[in-house]
Amino acid sequence: MKPGFLFVNKRRYPPWGLVAGPLVMVAGLLVQLSNPVLSFVFLLLTCLLGPALIVYGASALLCRRDDFLGKAAFVTRRVLQIGVVLAVLLVGVIQTLIAVNAKSDTPADCDVLLVLGAGLDGSRPSVILARRLDVAADYMAAHPSVTCVVSGGQGPHEDIPEGDAMQIYLVARGIDASRIAVERQATDTEENIVLSLPLLAGRGRVGLVTTDAHLYRAKLLCRRAGLDDVVGLAAPAGTQKWAVLLRVRETGSVLLTWLGL
């Protein structure tokens, strides 16, 4: 019986990783400079994939040695190859969970909405945030007894807290200000939920309003915060470009959430 995949060292492998690795790292840097929203892609390419390719390329050269170092290099190649397969499977699982949850729950009966912030352009809601607010405004117009909590603090390059901008937008859409409670401190999704808990207490079933690709992780964080009776109301990303970017970013965010980071 011939040795299998794990044990056959052909000793002559092209060291293409030594070229591809630096190129991938430069690509990660360019992604970060062009779109800071994709910091996960920057970390993936520059801090993980690029260095791994360099190690893979170096192992191709070291495999040619007929000593312990050569054997160690060959084992390293196999470990990296198996790691790539596992990583692809992991990404597939995460994307499947995102896709399955990227729609509104039916029936979406709730007593209060929680609208998660998503950045401002100065003092105006970003395209993504405006889509979330449109979904909330439409639901509240159709259900006059429903109130809402809008959540978001003031980030870099934002003139006012996101919560205030969200309230202004909803009022402009015809929603009475008395139906809107504002949370102004949150800086991320987990804080959106945790800091909104006092405002949601005793109001009944919560309708979670966020972008479709964000619903899986947001619901997971709700359960961790003790919000069990939650229904999802999905908002579109706005453009195909943002839909793709958000799914890419959510891959890393979901993984970090699983790890408790």
Side-chain angles (χ1 to χ4, degrees):
M1 182 180 295
K2 294 183 179 180
F5 165 81
L6 293 175
F7 308 104
V8 177
N9 182 2
K10 297 180 181 179
R11 297 195 179 185
R12 289 288 177 178
Y13 303 101
W16 55 267
L18 294 176
V19 176
L23 292 177
V24 167
M25 295 172 73
V26 171
L29 181 59
L30 293 176
V31 167
Q32 177 69 10
L33 292 175
S34 63
N35 194 337
V37 171
L38 294 177
S39 56
F40 164 69
V41 177
F42 164 73
L43 293 173
L44 175 65
L45 297 182
T46 304
C47 302
L48 183 61
L49 184 57
L53 285 171
I54 292 174
V55 171
Y56 192 72
S59 70
L61 296 177
L62 293 174
C63 275
R64 300 173 186 179
R65 299 171 60 102
D66 192 17
D67 56 12
F68 175 78
L69 189 58
K71 293 179 181 178
F74 176 70
V75 171
T76 299
R77 286 179 64 80
R78 288 295 186 251
V79 168
L80 290 172
Q81 290 165 351
I82 293 171
V84 168
V85 173
L86 294 177
V88 170
L89 292 175
L90 178 61
V91 170
V93 169
I94 292 174
Q95 284 299 317
T96 299
L97 290 171
I98 291 173
V100 168
N101 287 272
K103 59 183 183 297
S104 298
D105 293 321
T106 52
D109 297 326
C110 53
D111 304 296
V112 58
L113 303 182
L114 172 58
V115 189
L116 305 183
L120 304 178
D121 296 325
S123 60
R124 301 179 60 183
S126 63
V127 172
I128 292 176
L129 182 53
R131 297 295 180 272
R132 298 180 185 182
L133 292 167
D134 287 337
V135 168
D138 291 342
Y139 190 92
M140 295 178 74
H143 302 81
S145 64
V146 170
T147 58
C148 80
V149 175
V150 292
S151 174
Q154 185 171 351
H157 312 299
E158 295 181 346
D159 298 334
I160 59 176
E162 290 178 20
D164 288 332
M166 295 162 76
Q167 182 185 44
I168 292 170
Y169 188 97
L170 288 175
V171 169
R173 281 289 315 267
I175 305 302
D176 193 283
S178 64
R179 299 172 65 189
I180 307 168
V182 183
E183 186 287 311
R184 301 179 175 86
Q185 304 300 320
T187 60
D188 57 29
T189 301
E190 185 173 12
E191 289 188 358
N192 283 143
I193 295 165
V194 172
L195 295 179
S196 296
L197 290 177
L199 299 175
L200 295 169
R203 294 203 185 194
R205 196 179 198 192
V206 177
L208 181 65
V209 184
T210 189
T211 309
D212 49 13
H214 188 227
L215 262 176
Y216 168 71
R217 183 165 64 94
K219 284 181 176 181
L220 177 59
L221 290 171
C222 279
R223 290 193 293 271
R224 287 188 181 179
L227 281 177
D228 297 319
D229 193 13
V230 173
V231 296
L233 293 173
T239 65
Q240 186 62 35
K241 172 187 174 182
W242 275 111
V244 173
L245 293 180
L246 285 174
R247 282 184 176 272
V248 171
R249 186 177 71 172
E250 277 301 297
T251 302
S253 298
V254 168
L255 181 57
L256 292 176
T257 299
W258 284 354
L259 296 173
L261 301 176

